Amino acid sequence: MTGRVRWGPWAGVLLCLCWAPMAVAVPRFPDLRSAGTVVGYWSTDLATMQVVALSVSVGYLFLLVFLGALAERLATDVRVRAWSWTAVGAAWMFTTALNVAIGLVLAAGLVAGVDPASAYALHVGGFVLAAPAAFAGVAFFVAVTVVAFSSAVLPRWSGWLALVGVVANVGAVGGVGTLTGPWNSGNGVLGGIAAPLGLLVVWILAVSVSWLREPDDRSRVLAASRS
């Protein structure tokens, strides 16, 4: 296999490494019900979050390379081409919303010391953004599930993993209606972004490793396109 073909899965692996620090940072975010708690969090954790945000930002370079490789592979089977573009478009939308959310919460951290009210509003805004973005996450996982069960361009087991991702995105939807309780967007595990992002990273890593283990990626894709 040529080095060009291998860039896709290697980018997926590097993306997951860059986004791994979020697993430590996200569950520690404070509940959204208390402005004082949010401001207090930023007074102690701003430096940590800046490092995490830098790592996530670098990961976006690898994300784009991985999605390019994913689009190329999925589009080779005309039977699922519409679902393939749905998957890639939904992934772009979901992760773009994440990028905006990171910017909002970091802005909250930067102004927390001088304008606590604005810091709270920015922090809440970043997490409420996770609620509508969750639907894009659902679209991605539904699309790759259909592709995995209908075509050889994705391993079938990745479809079962994607079904778990659909469920993981449901919790954050509750964030459009409340800032408190287990299903609000600020809840780091149940209702927030930890589960949706975690399943996305796990899915990308598993698929990338699977591609790297294939003896001849290109011949497999060409075979699928002819079927």
Side-chain angles (χ1 to χ4, degrees):
M1 178 183 302
T2 65
R4 182 181 68 84
V5 177
R6 290 290 186 178
W7 269 112
W10 276 119
V13 172
L14 292 172
L15 162 67
C16 294
L17 290 175
C18 288
W19 283 15
M22 285 194 290
V24 176
V26 172
R28 295 182 57 193
F29 278 119
D31 193 287
L32 301 180
R33 76 182 70 192
S34 170
T37 302
V38 169
V39 173
Y41 166 83
W42 284 113
S43 68
T44 58
D45 284 53
L46 176 59
T48 299
M49 277 304 303
Q50 286 173 322
V51 173
V52 172
L54 177 60
S55 181
V56 172
S57 299
V58 172
Y60 270 92
L61 170 63
F62 303 120
L63 171 69
L64 294 175
V65 176
F66 173 82
L67 289 180
L70 180 65
E72 180 185 31
R73 172 178 284 238
L74 299 189
T76 57
D77 191 338
V78 295
R79 298 171 301 172
V80 294
R81 188 165 291 169
W83 285 107
S84 300
W85 286 111
T86 299
V88 175
W92 278 329
M93 182 177 295
F94 180 79
T95 54
T96 297
L98 168 66
N99 204 20
V100 175
I102 290 173
L104 287 174
V105 295
L106 273 182
L110 292 173
V111 304
V114 295
D115 191 348
S118 295
Y120 178 65
L122 288 166
H123 184 95
V124 168
F127 278 94
V128 171
L129 184 65
F135 289 105
V138 169
F140 170 78
F141 283 117
V142 167
V144 296
T145 297
V146 173
V147 172
F149 290 153
S150 306
S151 172
V153 295
L154 284 178
R156 189 174 182 84
W157 56 259
S158 69
W160 293 109
L161 183 58
L163 283 176
V164 179
V166 173
V167 177
N169 274 269
V170 172
V173 175
V176 298
T178 181
L179 298 180
T180 61
W183 300 111
N184 76 88
S185 296
N187 184 296
V189 178
L190 289 178
I193 61 175
L197 278 175
L199 264 296
L200 178 64
V201 169
V202 168
W203 189 90
I204 290 175
L205 180 60
V207 169
S208 296
V209 172
S210 174
W211 290 355
L212 288 171
R213 290 170 59 87
E214 290 175 353
D216 189 350
D217 221 355
R218 183 168 295 278
S219 65
R220 181 185 175 114
V221 172
L222 292 176
S225 67
R226 290 194 297 266
S227 62

